[in-house]
Amino acid sequence: MKEKIIFATGNEGKMREIRMILEDLGMEILSMKEVDIQADIEENGSTFEENAVIKAKAVMELTGTIVLADDSGLEIDYLNKEPGIYSARYMGEDTSYRIKNQNLIDRLDGVPEEKRTARFVCVIAAALPDGRVLVTRGAIEGIIGYEERGEGGFGYDPIFFLPEYGCSTAELSMEKKNELSHRGKALRAMKEELKKALGFKRGI
Ligand code: IMP
C-alpha cells in the first residue's frame, strides 16, 4: 500500500497542481475532503510561514500522517506589502476579485511602473508525525498592471504582469504558470526536502 500524504486544502485546482508536481514521490496525495476532515483552523499567524505551519501541524495532530499545508498571497511593495497574508480576506472573503483588483489598481493611481513592483509568495509546510517540520518558500516577481488582463488563473492573476513575458499570469497556460509560479517553486523545493527527510528510510 502506498504511503499517504494529506494536503490541507479544500481547493481542487490546487490539488491537481500539487499531484502533478509531487507525483514522483510515489506517495498517495489526499485532500482534506478525501480523508473527510473538516477542520476550521484559525490562521492567526503573522507570516506566511507561521500560517502554513499552524495548518500543517493541526491536521497532522488530527490524522497522525504526514501533512502538507500552504499559505500564499500577493505583496505589493508600494502598499507596504499589502495585501500579503490577508490576500484572501482583503476587502472581505466574499468580495469579488473584480472589485479587489480594481481597488488595488486605484490605490496605485499615478504610481509609475518602476514603483509598481509586486510578488506572489507561497510557503509550504510539512508536519511529520515524528514532530519534524519542514518549510519551503517560492516567489514570482512582477508588477501591478493598469487594468485587468486575461481569463485564466484566479484571484489577483489578471493584474499581475510579468514584464519579461509581456502578459499577466491570467494569460499563461496552466503548464507555464506551474513552471513559473510561487506555488510551483515552493512545491518542487518541498519535494526535495521530503526526499531528504524520508528518502533514506523509504528508498525514494
Ligand atoms: P490561500 O493561500 O489559499 O489562503 O490564498 C491566498 C490568496 O492569495 C488567494 O486567495 C489569492 O487571493 C491570492 N493568491 C495566491 N496565489 C495566487 C495566484 O497564483 N494567483 C492569484 N492570486 C493568488
Side-chain angles (χ1 to χ4, degrees):
M1 211 176 71
K2 272 190 182 177
E3 193 128 13
K4 293 181 172 46
I5 291 187
I6 296 169
F7 203 102
T9 181
N11 180 325
E12 273 313 307
K14 276 191 195 172
M15 283 308 295
R16 261 200 308 278
E17 190 179 320
I18 289 158
R19 285 203 177 95
M20 219 147 78
I21 294 175
L22 298 184
E23 199 178 11
D24 56 326
L25 276 180
M27 300 170 85
E28 195 178 356
I29 321 277
L30 300 165
S31 67
M32 302 266 278
K33 205 155 119 202
E34 286 164 323
V35 289
D36 206 16
I37 290 183
Q38 284 156 2
D40 202 6
I41 303 153
E42 207 192 333
E43 292 180 29
N44 54 10
S46 57
T47 61
F48 293 114
E49 278 78 3
E50 281 175 17
N51 281 336
V53 170
I54 289 169
K55 280 187 270 186
K57 274 189 173 170
V59 178
M60 188 277 288
E61 273 152 23
L62 285 173
T63 59
T65 53
I66 303 173
V67 176
L68 302 189
D70 74 335
D71 197 44
S72 57
L74 175 66
E75 290 182 348
I76 301 176
D77 292 322
Y78 189 80
L79 303 179
N80 294 316
K81 302 204 172 171
E82 272 189 65
I85 59 167
Y86 300 105
S87 292
R89 293 166 271 177
Y90 183 65
M91 298 182 79
E93 293 263 1
D94 296 332
T95 303
S96 76
Y97 276 92
R98 184 128 293 159
I99 292 174
K100 296 188 199 210
N101 284 337
Q102 192 54 52
N103 172 270
L104 291 173
I105 289 170
D106 291 346
R107 290 180 68 192
L108 294 188
D109 193 28
V111 176
E113 188 159 327
E114 67 273 16
K115 291 193 179 156
R116 301 175 80 94
T117 51
R119 71 203 52 77
F120 280 128
V121 174
C122 175
V123 170
I124 313 257
L128 276 50
D130 63 11
R132 280 181 293 172
V133 172
L134 313 172
V135 177
T136 60
R137 171 184 267 251
I140 175 171
E141 302 286 333
I143 60 164
I144 301 302
Y146 299 87
E147 58 183 17
E148 286 197 315
R149 262 176 61 181
E151 303 295 325
F154 68 102
Y156 300 105
D157 278 327
I159 59 165
F160 189 78
F161 281 83
L162 301 174
E164 66 273 43
Y165 290 87
C167 68
S168 77
T169 44
E171 295 176 293
L172 295 174
S173 67
M174 201 160 104
E175 288 71 24
K176 195 71 191 167
K177 189 173 169 207
N178 284 351
E179 182 192 319
L180 302 178
S181 83
H182 49 312
R183 195 168 298 103
K185 288 178 187 164
L187 272 170
R188 285 189 290 274
M190 177 52 74
K191 181 163 75 176
E192 296 313 311
E193 289 300 311
L194 281 170
K195 281 184 184 171
K196 274 192 259 165
L198 311 171
F200 177 71
K201 217 166 41 176
R202 296 180 180 143
I204 295 170

